[in-house]
């Protein structure tokens, strides 16, 4: 490739070669960043299949959200008080060997958490509001996980990063190509 000199005008070919190189470099950088994100998530346990994470159950006015939760052993569930009424978390049926006692009174000044280690199904209710359907179930099993929250969860974050970087690189390159083909050119001698 020809070396560019200061007093020589920039040709379309030289510009397009530079733009293509920049787009390739941007794509490689985005791919590297996406791979680093995946490695970090695996190291930090964000996508790890084992339990040990935390799930939140909102204690709202006359319902638990989510009402049904699937978790792995070792996961901590936090019942977060968000309603205006007083509630409790009273365990019903639970697996043999489990020692979950629940919480007698949840108010605005406190939340309650418990780490589930025994596999099986745990049913619980809010005693004052069980008549209006304030019940919940937690299924503890290896390989269990909460249901995806929406369509965005179908594509991993690293893939979104790569997609956005690729589209941005393509759009900027094509925009510059259009601009220079339409308005650019080599100066008349």
């Amino acid at each position: 490739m020809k070396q560019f000199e200061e007093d020589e005008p920039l040709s379309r070919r030289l510009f397009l070669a530079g733009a293509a190189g920049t787009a390739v470099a941007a794509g490689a950088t985005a791919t590297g960043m996406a791979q680093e994100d995946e490695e970090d998530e695996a190291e930090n346990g964000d996508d790890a299949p084992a339990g040990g994470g935390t799930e939140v159950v909102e204690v709202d006015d006359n319902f638990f959200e989510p009402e049904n939760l699937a978790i792995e052993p070792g996961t901590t569930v936090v019942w977060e008080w968000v309603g205006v009424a007083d509630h409790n978390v009273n365990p019903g049926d639970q697996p043999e060997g489990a020692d979950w006692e629940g919480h007698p009174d949840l108010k605005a000044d406190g939340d309650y958490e418990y780490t589930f280690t025994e596999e099986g199904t745990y049913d619980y209710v809010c005693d004052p509001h069980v008549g209006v359907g304030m019940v919940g179930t937690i299924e503890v099993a290896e390989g269990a996980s909460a249901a995806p929250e929406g369509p965005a969860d179908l594509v991993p974050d690293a893939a979104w990063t790569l997609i956005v970087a690729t589209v941005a690189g393509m759009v900027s390159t094509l925009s510059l190509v259009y601009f220079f083909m339409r308005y650019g050119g080599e100066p008349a001698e």
Side-chain angles (χ1 to χ4, degrees):
M1 197 149 97
K2 185 178 174 183
Q3 187 72 358
F4 181 72
E5 295 179 18
E6 249 183 75
D7 54 340
E8 189 176 317
L10 181 64
S11 71
R12 275 189 232 168
R13 275 193 195 146
L14 190 57
F15 170 76
L16 291 176
T22 302
V24 168
T29 301
T31 302
M33 289 173 58
Q35 289 172 344
E36 286 176 13
D37 286 346
E38 287 177 355
E39 290 169 4
D40 288 346
E41 286 176 1
E43 287 174 12
N44 294 333
D46 292 346
D47 286 339
T54 302
E55 294 288 336
V56 175
V57 175
E58 292 184 350
V59 181
D60 209 335
D61 294 329
N62 302 329
F63 63 93
F64 295 108
E65 180 61 42
E67 185 176 308
N68 299 311
L69 184 63
I71 60 173
E72 294 194 5
T75 302
T76 300
V77 176
V78 177
W79 283 265
E80 190 175 274
W81 190 90
V82 296
V84 295
D86 291 343
H87 301 285
N88 70 356
V89 177
N90 187 11
D93 291 332
Q94 57 184 307
E96 191 173 320
D99 61 350
W100 183 36
E101 296 178 6
H103 194 278
D105 194 20
L106 282 177
K107 295 185 176 158
D109 59 350
D111 297 334
Y112 164 66
E113 67 181 52
Y114 180 79
T115 302
F116 291 87
T117 56
E118 295 290 324
E119 290 189 31
T121 302
Y122 296 77
D123 295 320
Y124 62 96
V125 300
C126 172
D127 288 327
H129 304 109
V130 69
V132 293
M134 193 167 182
V135 298
T137 302
I138 297 176
E139 182 67 37
V140 181
E142 287 293 332
S145 66
E149 293 180 14
D153 291 340
L154 297 176
V155 179
D157 290 340
W160 279 117
T161 303
L162 184 59
I163 290 168
V164 168
T166 302
V167 170
M170 289 172 45
V171 167
S172 63
T173 302
L174 290 174
S175 298
L176 288 171
V177 167
Y178 172 78
F179 177 80
F180 280 103
M181 290 186 80
R182 171 124 177 144
Y183 301 108
E186 298 192 20
E189 293 185 29

